[in-house]
Short mmCIF file of all heavy atoms in Angstrom, two decimals:
data_model
loop_
_atom_site.label_atom_id
_atom_site.label_comp_id
_atom_site.label_asym_id
_atom_site.label_seq_id
_atom_site.Cartn_x
_atom_site.Cartn_y
_atom_site.Cartn_z
N MET A 368 -10.08 -11.97 10.00
CA MET A 368 -8.89 -12.28 10.83
C MET A 368 -7.64 -11.73 10.14
O MET A 368 -7.13 -12.31 9.19
CB MET A 368 -8.76 -13.80 11.01
CG MET A 368 -8.09 -14.15 12.34
SD MET A 368 -7.22 -15.71 12.26
CE MET A 368 -8.51 -16.83 12.83
N ALA A 369 -7.15 -10.60 10.60
CA ALA A 369 -6.01 -9.96 9.92
C ALA A 369 -4.75 -10.05 10.77
O ALA A 369 -3.86 -9.22 10.67
CB ALA A 369 -6.34 -8.51 9.62
N ARG A 370 -4.68 -11.06 11.62
CA ARG A 370 -3.50 -11.21 12.47
C ARG A 370 -2.35 -11.81 11.66
O ARG A 370 -2.58 -12.62 10.76
CB ARG A 370 -3.85 -12.13 13.63
CG ARG A 370 -3.29 -11.67 14.95
CD ARG A 370 -4.24 -12.09 16.06
NE ARG A 370 -4.78 -13.40 15.78
CZ ARG A 370 -4.21 -14.52 16.19
NH1 ARG A 370 -3.12 -14.48 16.90
NH2 ARG A 370 -4.76 -15.67 15.92
N SER A 371 -1.14 -11.42 11.97
CA SER A 371 -0.02 -11.92 11.19
C SER A 371 0.18 -13.42 11.44
O SER A 371 -0.07 -13.92 12.53
CB SER A 371 1.26 -11.16 11.54
OG SER A 371 1.79 -11.60 12.74
N LEU A 372 0.60 -14.09 10.40
CA LEU A 372 0.85 -15.53 10.49
C LEU A 372 1.83 -15.84 11.61
O LEU A 372 1.79 -16.90 12.22
CB LEU A 372 1.46 -16.04 9.18
CG LEU A 372 0.55 -16.27 7.99
CD1 LEU A 372 1.38 -16.88 6.88
CD2 LEU A 372 -0.59 -17.15 8.34
N CYS A 373 2.72 -14.91 11.85
CA CYS A 373 3.77 -15.10 12.84
C CYS A 373 3.20 -15.34 14.23
O CYS A 373 3.87 -15.92 15.09
CB CYS A 373 4.68 -13.89 12.84
SG CYS A 373 5.20 -13.40 11.19
N LYS A 374 1.96 -14.90 14.44
CA LYS A 374 1.36 -15.03 15.76
C LYS A 374 0.47 -16.27 15.88
O LYS A 374 -0.08 -16.54 16.92
CB LYS A 374 0.53 -13.78 16.08
CG LYS A 374 1.35 -12.51 16.16
CD LYS A 374 2.04 -12.40 17.51
CE LYS A 374 3.27 -11.50 17.47
NZ LYS A 374 2.95 -10.14 17.07
N TRP A 375 0.31 -16.99 14.79
CA TRP A 375 -0.55 -18.18 14.81
C TRP A 375 0.03 -19.24 15.71
O TRP A 375 1.24 -19.50 15.69
CB TRP A 375 -0.71 -18.75 13.41
CG TRP A 375 -1.70 -18.01 12.55
CD1 TRP A 375 -1.92 -16.67 12.55
CD2 TRP A 375 -2.57 -18.57 11.57
NE1 TRP A 375 -2.88 -16.37 11.62
CE2 TRP A 375 -3.29 -17.49 11.00
CE3 TRP A 375 -2.80 -19.88 11.11
CZ2 TRP A 375 -4.24 -17.71 10.00
CZ3 TRP A 375 -3.73 -20.08 10.11
CH2 TRP A 375 -4.45 -19.01 9.56
N LYS A 376 -0.86 -19.85 16.48
CA LYS A 376 -0.43 -20.97 17.32
C LYS A 376 -0.74 -22.26 16.58
O LYS A 376 -1.50 -22.28 15.62
CB LYS A 376 -1.17 -20.92 18.65
CG LYS A 376 -0.90 -19.64 19.41
CD LYS A 376 -1.26 -19.81 20.88
CE LYS A 376 -0.90 -18.57 21.66
NZ LYS A 376 -1.83 -17.45 21.31
N LYS A 377 -0.14 -23.34 17.07
CA LYS A 377 -0.32 -24.64 16.44
C LYS A 377 -1.80 -24.97 16.18
O LYS A 377 -2.18 -25.39 15.10
CB LYS A 377 0.28 -25.72 17.34
CG LYS A 377 1.40 -26.50 16.66
CD LYS A 377 1.76 -27.68 17.52
CE LYS A 377 3.26 -27.92 17.45
NZ LYS A 377 3.72 -28.93 18.43
N LYS A 378 -2.60 -24.77 17.22
CA LYS A 378 -4.04 -25.05 17.12
C LYS A 378 -4.69 -24.25 16.01
O LYS A 378 -5.54 -24.75 15.27
CB LYS A 378 -4.74 -24.73 18.45
CG LYS A 378 -4.61 -25.85 19.47
CD LYS A 378 -5.88 -26.73 19.43
CE LYS A 378 -5.65 -28.03 20.18
NZ LYS A 378 -5.35 -27.80 21.60
N GLU A 379 -4.30 -22.97 15.91
CA GLU A 379 -4.90 -22.09 14.91
C GLU A 379 -4.49 -22.51 13.50
O GLU A 379 -5.26 -22.38 12.56
CB GLU A 379 -4.48 -20.64 15.17
CG GLU A 379 -5.03 -20.10 16.47
CD GLU A 379 -4.47 -18.73 16.78
OE1 GLU A 379 -3.32 -18.65 17.26
OE2 GLU A 379 -5.17 -17.74 16.54
N ILE A 380 -3.28 -23.00 13.39
CA ILE A 380 -2.80 -23.46 12.09
C ILE A 380 -3.64 -24.67 11.65
O ILE A 380 -4.10 -24.74 10.51
CB ILE A 380 -1.30 -23.84 12.15
CG1 ILE A 380 -0.47 -22.58 12.41
CG2 ILE A 380 -0.86 -24.49 10.85
CD1 ILE A 380 0.98 -22.85 12.78
N GLU A 381 -3.87 -25.59 12.59
CA GLU A 381 -4.68 -26.77 12.28
C GLU A 381 -6.10 -26.37 11.88
O GLU A 381 -6.65 -26.85 10.91
CB GLU A 381 -4.75 -27.69 13.50
CG GLU A 381 -3.47 -28.48 13.72
CD GLU A 381 -3.44 -29.16 15.08
OE1 GLU A 381 -4.52 -29.40 15.64
OE2 GLU A 381 -2.34 -29.41 15.58
N LYS A 382 -6.68 -25.46 12.67
CA LYS A 382 -8.06 -25.03 12.43
C LYS A 382 -8.18 -24.18 11.18
O LYS A 382 -9.20 -24.21 10.50
CB LYS A 382 -8.55 -24.19 13.61
CG LYS A 382 -9.10 -25.00 14.75
CD LYS A 382 -9.90 -24.04 15.64
CE LYS A 382 -10.20 -24.63 16.99
NZ LYS A 382 -10.60 -23.55 17.93
N GLY A 383 -7.16 -23.39 10.88
CA GLY A 383 -7.26 -22.45 9.79
C GLY A 383 -6.54 -22.87 8.53
O GLY A 383 -6.12 -22.02 7.75
N LEU A 384 -6.38 -24.16 8.34
CA LEU A 384 -5.62 -24.65 7.17
C LEU A 384 -6.13 -24.09 5.85
O LEU A 384 -5.35 -23.74 4.98
CB LEU A 384 -5.67 -26.18 7.13
CG LEU A 384 -4.48 -26.90 7.78
CD1 LEU A 384 -4.55 -28.39 7.46
CD2 LEU A 384 -3.16 -26.34 7.29
N HIS A 385 -7.46 -23.99 5.74
CA HIS A 385 -8.04 -23.51 4.50
C HIS A 385 -7.65 -22.04 4.27
O HIS A 385 -7.24 -21.67 3.17
CB HIS A 385 -9.56 -23.66 4.54
CG HIS A 385 -10.21 -23.46 3.21
ND1 HIS A 385 -10.31 -24.48 2.28
CD2 HIS A 385 -10.75 -22.37 2.65
CE1 HIS A 385 -10.90 -24.00 1.19
NE2 HIS A 385 -11.19 -22.72 1.40
N GLU A 386 -7.77 -21.25 5.34
CA GLU A 386 -7.40 -19.84 5.26
C GLU A 386 -5.90 -19.70 4.99
O GLU A 386 -5.47 -18.88 4.18
CB GLU A 386 -7.77 -19.17 6.58
CG GLU A 386 -7.65 -17.66 6.53
CD GLU A 386 -7.78 -17.04 7.91
OE1 GLU A 386 -8.13 -17.77 8.85
OE2 GLU A 386 -7.50 -15.84 8.03
N LEU A 387 -5.13 -20.54 5.65
CA LEU A 387 -3.68 -20.51 5.50
C LEU A 387 -3.27 -20.78 4.05
O LEU A 387 -2.40 -20.11 3.51
CB LEU A 387 -3.06 -21.54 6.44
CG LEU A 387 -1.54 -21.53 6.55
CD1 LEU A 387 -1.04 -20.22 7.11
CD2 LEU A 387 -1.08 -22.68 7.43
N ALA A 388 -3.95 -21.74 3.46
CA ALA A 388 -3.65 -22.09 2.08
C ALA A 388 -3.84 -20.89 1.18
O ALA A 388 -3.05 -20.65 0.25
CB ALA A 388 -4.55 -23.24 1.63
N HIS A 389 -4.86 -20.11 1.47
CA HIS A 389 -5.15 -18.91 0.69
C HIS A 389 -4.07 -17.83 0.92
O HIS A 389 -3.63 -17.17 -0.01
CB HIS A 389 -6.53 -18.38 1.09
CG HIS A 389 -7.00 -17.25 0.24
ND1 HIS A 389 -7.40 -17.42 -1.06
CD2 HIS A 389 -7.12 -15.93 0.52
CE1 HIS A 389 -7.74 -16.24 -1.55
NE2 HIS A 389 -7.59 -15.32 -0.62
N ILE A 390 -3.66 -17.68 2.18
CA ILE A 390 -2.69 -16.64 2.55
C ILE A 390 -1.32 -16.90 1.94
O ILE A 390 -0.63 -15.97 1.50
CB ILE A 390 -2.57 -16.56 4.10
CG1 ILE A 390 -3.88 -16.03 4.70
CG2 ILE A 390 -1.41 -15.66 4.50
CD1 ILE A 390 -3.94 -16.13 6.22
N VAL A 391 -0.91 -18.15 1.92
CA VAL A 391 0.45 -18.45 1.44
C VAL A 391 0.50 -18.80 -0.05
O VAL A 391 1.57 -19.09 -0.57
CB VAL A 391 1.10 -19.60 2.25
CG1 VAL A 391 1.14 -19.25 3.73
CG2 VAL A 391 0.36 -20.92 2.03
N ASP A 392 -0.66 -18.71 -0.72
CA ASP A 392 -0.70 -19.01 -2.14
C ASP A 392 0.08 -17.93 -2.90
O ASP A 392 -0.08 -16.74 -2.63
CB ASP A 392 -2.16 -19.06 -2.61
CG ASP A 392 -2.27 -19.50 -4.06
OD1 ASP A 392 -1.57 -20.45 -4.43
OD2 ASP A 392 -3.06 -18.88 -4.80
N LYS A 393 0.90 -18.32 -3.84
CA LYS A 393 1.72 -17.39 -4.63
C LYS A 393 2.36 -16.32 -3.74
O LYS A 393 2.05 -15.13 -3.86
CB LYS A 393 0.87 -16.73 -5.71
CG LYS A 393 0.26 -17.71 -6.68
CD LYS A 393 -0.51 -16.97 -7.78
CE LYS A 393 -1.31 -17.93 -8.64
NZ LYS A 393 -2.53 -18.38 -7.91
N PRO A 394 3.23 -16.70 -2.86
CA PRO A 394 3.81 -15.75 -1.91
C PRO A 394 4.63 -14.66 -2.60
O PRO A 394 5.36 -14.92 -3.56
CB PRO A 394 4.71 -16.62 -1.02
CG PRO A 394 4.99 -17.83 -1.82
CD PRO A 394 3.78 -18.05 -2.68
N ARG A 395 4.46 -13.44 -2.09
CA ARG A 395 5.22 -12.30 -2.62
C ARG A 395 6.10 -11.69 -1.54
O ARG A 395 7.00 -10.92 -1.83
CB ARG A 395 4.26 -11.22 -3.16
CG ARG A 395 3.52 -11.63 -4.41
CD ARG A 395 2.63 -10.49 -4.89
NE ARG A 395 1.69 -10.11 -3.86
CZ ARG A 395 0.87 -9.05 -3.96
NH1 ARG A 395 0.88 -8.32 -5.05
NH2 ARG A 395 0.04 -8.75 -2.99
N TYR A 396 5.80 -12.03 -0.29
CA TYR A 396 6.55 -11.48 0.82
C TYR A 396 7.03 -12.60 1.74
O TYR A 396 6.42 -13.66 1.83
CB TYR A 396 5.68 -10.51 1.63
CG TYR A 396 5.26 -9.31 0.85
CD1 TYR A 396 4.07 -9.32 0.14
CD2 TYR A 396 6.07 -8.17 0.80
CE1 TYR A 396 3.69 -8.21 -0.61
CE2 TYR A 396 5.69 -7.06 0.06
CZ TYR A 396 4.49 -7.09 -0.64
OH TYR A 396 4.12 -6.00 -1.37
N VAL A 397 8.13 -12.32 2.42
CA VAL A 397 8.64 -13.27 3.39
C VAL A 397 8.96 -12.49 4.66
O VAL A 397 9.27 -11.30 4.62
CB VAL A 397 9.88 -14.02 2.82
CG1 VAL A 397 11.05 -13.07 2.63
CG2 VAL A 397 10.27 -15.17 3.72
N CYS A 398 8.84 -13.14 5.82
CA CYS A 398 9.12 -12.47 7.08
C CYS A 398 10.60 -12.62 7.42
O CYS A 398 11.13 -13.73 7.42
CB CYS A 398 8.25 -13.09 8.19
SG CYS A 398 8.59 -12.35 9.78
N ARG A 399 11.22 -11.51 7.70
CA ARG A 399 12.66 -11.53 8.01
C ARG A 399 12.91 -12.09 9.40
O ARG A 399 14.05 -12.39 9.76
CB ARG A 399 13.23 -10.10 7.94
CG ARG A 399 13.40 -9.59 6.55
CD ARG A 399 14.09 -8.25 6.54
NE ARG A 399 13.14 -7.16 6.79
CZ ARG A 399 13.31 -6.23 7.72
NH1 ARG A 399 14.37 -6.24 8.47
NH2 ARG A 399 12.42 -5.30 7.90
N ASP A 400 11.86 -12.15 10.20
CA ASP A 400 12.00 -12.63 11.57
C ASP A 400 11.86 -14.14 11.67
O ASP A 400 12.66 -14.78 12.34
CB ASP A 400 10.92 -11.97 12.44
CG ASP A 400 11.52 -11.18 13.58
OD1 ASP A 400 12.65 -10.70 13.40
OD2 ASP A 400 10.88 -11.08 14.62
N CYS A 401 10.85 -14.66 11.02
CA CYS A 401 10.58 -16.10 11.21
C CYS A 401 10.45 -16.87 9.91
O CYS A 401 10.04 -18.03 9.93
CB CYS A 401 9.35 -16.28 12.09
SG CYS A 401 8.05 -15.10 11.78
N ALA A 402 10.78 -16.26 8.78
CA ALA A 402 10.85 -16.95 7.49
C ALA A 402 9.52 -17.48 6.97
O ALA A 402 9.50 -18.34 6.10
CB ALA A 402 11.90 -18.07 7.52
N ARG A 403 8.41 -16.97 7.50
CA ARG A 403 7.12 -17.34 6.92
C ARG A 403 6.93 -16.55 5.63
O ARG A 403 7.49 -15.47 5.48
CB ARG A 403 5.99 -17.03 7.90
CG ARG A 403 5.87 -18.02 9.03
CD ARG A 403 4.99 -17.43 10.10
NE ARG A 403 4.57 -18.42 11.08
CZ ARG A 403 5.24 -18.71 12.17
NH1 ARG A 403 6.38 -18.12 12.42
NH2 ARG A 403 4.78 -19.61 13.01
N SER A 404 6.09 -17.06 4.77
CA SER A 404 5.82 -16.33 3.54
C SER A 404 4.31 -16.13 3.38
O SER A 404 3.52 -16.88 3.94
CB SER A 404 6.38 -17.10 2.34
OG SER A 404 5.80 -18.37 2.25
N ALA A 405 3.95 -15.10 2.62
CA ALA A 405 2.54 -14.80 2.42
C ALA A 405 2.35 -13.99 1.15
O ALA A 405 3.28 -13.36 0.65
CB ALA A 405 1.98 -14.03 3.60
N HIS A 406 1.11 -14.00 0.65
CA HIS A 406 0.79 -13.24 -0.55
C HIS A 406 0.69 -11.75 -0.21
O HIS A 406 1.03 -10.91 -1.04
CB HIS A 406 -0.53 -13.75 -1.13
CG HIS A 406 -0.91 -13.10 -2.41
ND1 HIS A 406 -0.26 -13.36 -3.59
CD2 HIS A 406 -1.86 -12.17 -2.71
CE1 HIS A 406 -0.80 -12.62 -4.55
NE2 HIS A 406 -1.77 -11.89 -4.05
N ASP A 407 0.20 -11.43 0.97
CA ASP A 407 0.08 -10.04 1.41
C ASP A 407 0.97 -9.78 2.61
O ASP A 407 1.03 -10.59 3.53
CB ASP A 407 -1.37 -9.73 1.79
CG ASP A 407 -2.23 -9.59 0.55
OD1 ASP A 407 -1.89 -8.77 -0.32
OD2 ASP A 407 -3.24 -10.32 0.47
N LYS A 408 1.62 -8.60 2.61
CA LYS A 408 2.57 -8.33 3.68
C LYS A 408 1.89 -8.15 5.02
O LYS A 408 2.54 -8.24 6.05
CB LYS A 408 3.43 -7.13 3.34
CG LYS A 408 2.68 -5.85 3.10
CD LYS A 408 3.69 -4.75 2.74
CE LYS A 408 2.97 -3.47 2.34
NZ LYS A 408 3.90 -2.44 1.89
N GLY A 409 0.59 -7.89 5.02
CA GLY A 409 -0.13 -7.69 6.27
C GLY A 409 -0.12 -8.92 7.16
O GLY A 409 -0.44 -8.83 8.35
N HIS A 410 0.22 -10.06 6.60
CA HIS A 410 0.20 -11.31 7.37
C HIS A 410 1.53 -11.61 8.05
O HIS A 410 1.66 -12.65 8.70
CB HIS A 410 -0.19 -12.48 6.47
CG HIS A 410 -1.59 -12.38 5.93
ND1 HIS A 410 -2.69 -12.53 6.73
CD2 HIS A 410 -2.05 -12.14 4.70
CE1 HIS A 410 -3.77 -12.37 6.00
NE2 HIS A 410 -3.40 -12.13 4.75
N LEU A 411 2.51 -10.75 7.86
CA LEU A 411 3.83 -11.03 8.40
C LEU A 411 4.27 -9.91 9.36
O LEU A 411 3.88 -8.76 9.21
CB LEU A 411 4.84 -11.14 7.25
CG LEU A 411 4.48 -12.18 6.18
CD1 LEU A 411 5.38 -11.99 4.97
CD2 LEU A 411 4.59 -13.58 6.72
N CYS A 412 5.11 -10.23 10.33
CA CYS A 412 5.51 -9.22 11.31
C CYS A 412 6.63 -8.34 10.77
O CYS A 412 6.68 -7.15 11.04
CB CYS A 412 5.88 -9.87 12.63
SG CYS A 412 7.18 -11.10 12.59
N LYS A 413 7.57 -8.90 10.01
CA LYS A 413 8.66 -8.12 9.41
C LYS A 413 8.74 -8.45 7.92
O LYS A 413 9.69 -9.11 7.47
CB LYS A 413 10.00 -8.45 10.08
CG LYS A 413 10.10 -8.03 11.52
CD LYS A 413 11.10 -6.92 11.64
CE LYS A 413 11.28 -6.36 13.05
NZ LYS A 413 10.58 -6.96 14.14
N PRO A 414 7.74 -8.00 7.17
CA PRO A 414 7.67 -8.39 5.75
C PRO A 414 8.77 -7.77 4.91
O PRO A 414 9.16 -6.61 5.12
CB PRO A 414 6.29 -7.88 5.31
CG PRO A 414 5.97 -6.77 6.25
CD PRO A 414 6.64 -7.09 7.55
N THR A 415 9.26 -8.53 3.98
CA THR A 415 10.18 -8.02 3.00
C THR A 415 9.84 -8.72 1.69
O THR A 415 9.39 -9.86 1.69
CB THR A 415 11.65 -8.25 3.41
OG1 THR A 415 12.49 -7.54 2.51
CG2 THR A 415 12.04 -9.72 3.38
N LYS A 416 10.00 -8.00 0.57
CA LYS A 416 9.60 -8.55 -0.71
C LYS A 416 10.49 -9.72 -1.13
O LYS A 416 11.71 -9.65 -0.99
CB LYS A 416 9.65 -7.46 -1.77
CG LYS A 416 8.27 -7.13 -2.27
CD LYS A 416 8.26 -6.20 -3.43
CE LYS A 416 6.88 -6.35 -4.06
NZ LYS A 416 6.71 -5.63 -5.28
N LEU A 417 9.86 -10.75 -1.65
CA LEU A 417 10.62 -11.86 -2.17
C LEU A 417 11.17 -11.47 -3.53
O LEU A 417 10.47 -10.83 -4.31
CB LEU A 417 9.70 -13.08 -2.36
CG LEU A 417 9.44 -13.98 -1.17
CD1 LEU A 417 8.36 -14.99 -1.55
CD2 LEU A 417 10.68 -14.72 -0.75
N PRO A 418 12.41 -11.83 -3.81
CA PRO A 418 12.92 -11.56 -5.16
C PRO A 418 12.15 -12.41 -6.16
O PRO A 418 11.83 -13.57 -5.87
CB PRO A 418 14.39 -11.98 -5.07
CG PRO A 418 14.49 -12.87 -3.88
CD PRO A 418 13.37 -12.50 -2.95
N LEU A 419 11.80 -11.83 -7.26
CA LEU A 419 11.04 -12.58 -8.27
C LEU A 419 11.95 -13.58 -8.97
O LEU A 419 13.08 -13.26 -9.30
CB LEU A 419 10.43 -11.62 -9.29
CG LEU A 419 9.35 -10.69 -8.75
CD1 LEU A 419 8.97 -9.66 -9.80
CD2 LEU A 419 8.14 -11.48 -8.31
N THR A 420 11.41 -14.75 -9.19
CA THR A 420 12.22 -15.77 -9.85
C THR A 420 11.73 -16.00 -11.27
O THR A 420 10.59 -15.78 -11.55
CB THR A 420 12.15 -17.11 -9.09
OG1 THR A 420 10.80 -17.43 -8.83
CG2 THR A 420 12.93 -17.03 -7.80
ZN1 ZN B 1232 7.29 -13.06 11.42
#
């Protein structure tokens, strides 16, 4: 399932919690459109790199 998190519906979030936990673990990218974050930019619709802290 390589669909961007931005397209996930409520039901899918509930069902895919385990997968979601993996996707958002140690986030490196954030979506400029909807502020979601993910480890890989492929999961976001408008990914931009998070500044390292
Ligand atoms: Zn997005």
Side-chain angles (χ1 to χ4, degrees):
M368 210 208 268
R370 222 148 38 91
S371 78
L372 282 185
C373 311
K374 297 280 157 60
W375 281 36
K376 300 199 176 71
K377 240 190 217 171
K378 278 263 166 62
E379 294 173 282
I380 294 168
E381 284 168 24
K382 275 196 195 163
L384 265 189
H385 192 84
E386 189 190 351
L387 187 63
H389 187 72
I390 293 170
V391 302
D392 186 44
K393 300 183 189 76
R395 291 182 302 174
Y396 296 91
V397 66
C398 178
R399 285 186 277 128
D400 239 29
C401 39
R403 283 165 166 89
S404 60
H406 184 73
D407 286 305
K408 59 181 174 184
H410 295 290
L411 305 168
C412 57
K413 294 249 178 3
T415 190
K416 247 187 162 186
L417 275 172
L419 293 172
T420 50

